Amino acid sequence: MATPVKLYGPPLSTAVSRVLACLLEKDVQFQLTPINLSKGEQKKPEFLKMQPFGQVPAFEDENISLFESRAICRYICEKYPEKGNKGLYGTNPLAKASIDQWLEAEGQTFNPPSSVLVFQLAFAPLMKLKQDETLIRQNEAKLSKVLDVYEKRLGESRFLAGDEFSLADLSHLPNAHYLVTATHRGEIFTSRKNVGRWWDEISSRDSWKKVADMQKSV
């Protein structure tokens, strides 16, 4: 039996949950080791050997280690092409290029404003930190512009990179999940016909339901 890959970090982390969703989609055996961020476990020397920036996630597969969630997801798909969802990262150069361009869009245009909103709206209250209303308004406007582009795209295809669910869609799940379920800003997704349809479909996948259950159990 193959040795399970190892993932380090708490399921509540958006980056960790991105990798969890990928592992579940690909049906790859894994061992999850929670890291207590409040105790600074991510800054300990042994962890920094895997993740030099002292953040989560960290990932190990036999004698290799990786630390950026999207790179980890690509690696999992390339290393285990015949397992689970075989088309998650495309099966030909054009499909991969389409997925990659929307992964770049997620990382460069969707993630920055949505991450600010997740922190300000979902985590700051839990941490008893004052919310920055100016920052919230600015990033709501930025995210709205991004989702306007998505609305047009999703009127042309079922998913971002085409008519099959892929890493491009999966990568949006962590931040979108918090905004829809843990804040009062869910309408930024659900008020858009095509984006709302897309969100309902990707968030109802068994893989993401399992991740959400893992987050609830923490």
Side-chain angles (χ1 to χ4, degrees):
M1 183 178 291
T3 302
V5 300
K6 298 177 182 179
L7 178 63
Y8 299 83
L12 290 173
S13 157
T14 53
V16 173
S17 66
R18 179 177 290 114
V19 179
L20 284 171
C22 181
L23 288 165
L24 290 165
E25 278 283 337
K26 291 298 294 177
D27 195 23
V28 173
Q29 283 193 314
F30 65 91
Q31 174 185 320
L32 177 64
T33 301
I35 297 296
N36 192 320
L37 304 181
S38 64
K39 291 184 178 179
E41 291 179 355
Q42 74 278 19
K43 303 296 184 182
K44 291 184 177 181
E46 59 268 28
F47 189 82
L48 290 172
K49 291 178 182 177
M50 298 183 291
Q51 220 299 6
F53 296 102
Q55 300 171 340
V56 291
F59 174 87
E60 289 184 318
D61 185 7
E62 298 178 346
N63 62 342
I64 67 99
S65 62
L66 296 167
F67 60 80
E68 199 283 321
S69 63
R70 296 168 189 81
I72 294 169
C73 289
R74 287 183 174 103
Y75 169 82
I76 292 165
C77 292
E78 296 280 20
K79 174 76 180 289
Y80 304 98
E82 297 305 315
K83 291 187 70 68
N85 184 341
K86 296 180 178 62
L88 191 62
Y89 189 36
T91 55
N92 61 68
L94 180 58
K96 287 183 188 294
S98 183
I99 292 167
D100 274 334
Q101 70 180 359
W102 286 102
L103 273 171
E104 288 295 318
E106 183 273 325
Q108 296 182 26
T109 63
F110 176 88
N111 188 67
S114 63
S115 290
V116 171
L117 292 173
V118 167
F119 180 80
Q120 289 291 328
L121 298 170
F123 287 107
L126 295 176
M127 300 167 69
K128 295 180 169 53
L129 298 174
K130 184 179 180 181
Q131 293 172 310
D132 187 328
E133 294 297 336
T134 299
L135 202 58
I136 290 171
R137 286 195 301 272
Q138 289 173 344
N139 284 278
E140 278 184 323
K142 290 177 183 178
L143 183 57
S144 288
K145 290 179 180 179
V146 174
L147 292 178
D148 286 343
V149 175
Y150 283 30
E151 179 69 7
K152 183 176 185 298
R153 170 59 179 170
L154 291 166
E156 301 165 349
S157 64
R158 183 177 173 188
F159 298 101
L160 287 172
D163 289 325
E164 300 294 333
F165 176 82
S166 73
L167 273 185
D169 308 291
L170 181 150
S171 199
H172 289 78
L173 280 163
N175 280 3
H177 174 78
Y178 276 118
L179 292 176
V180 172
T181 65
T183 75
H184 298 296
R185 302 303 204 280
E187 71 278 358
I188 198 168
F189 293 91
T190 58
S191 64
R192 290 171 166 83
K193 177 184 175 182
N194 298 319
V195 170
R197 183 267 309 160
W198 169 73
W199 166 250
D200 285 343
E201 188 163 2
I202 67 173
S203 62
S204 63
R205 294 184 71 83
D206 287 342
S207 58
W208 186 252
K209 288 180 179 179
K210 289 176 183 177
V211 174
D213 286 342
M214 293 171 72
Q215 293 178 334
K216 290 175 186 175
S217 66
V218 174

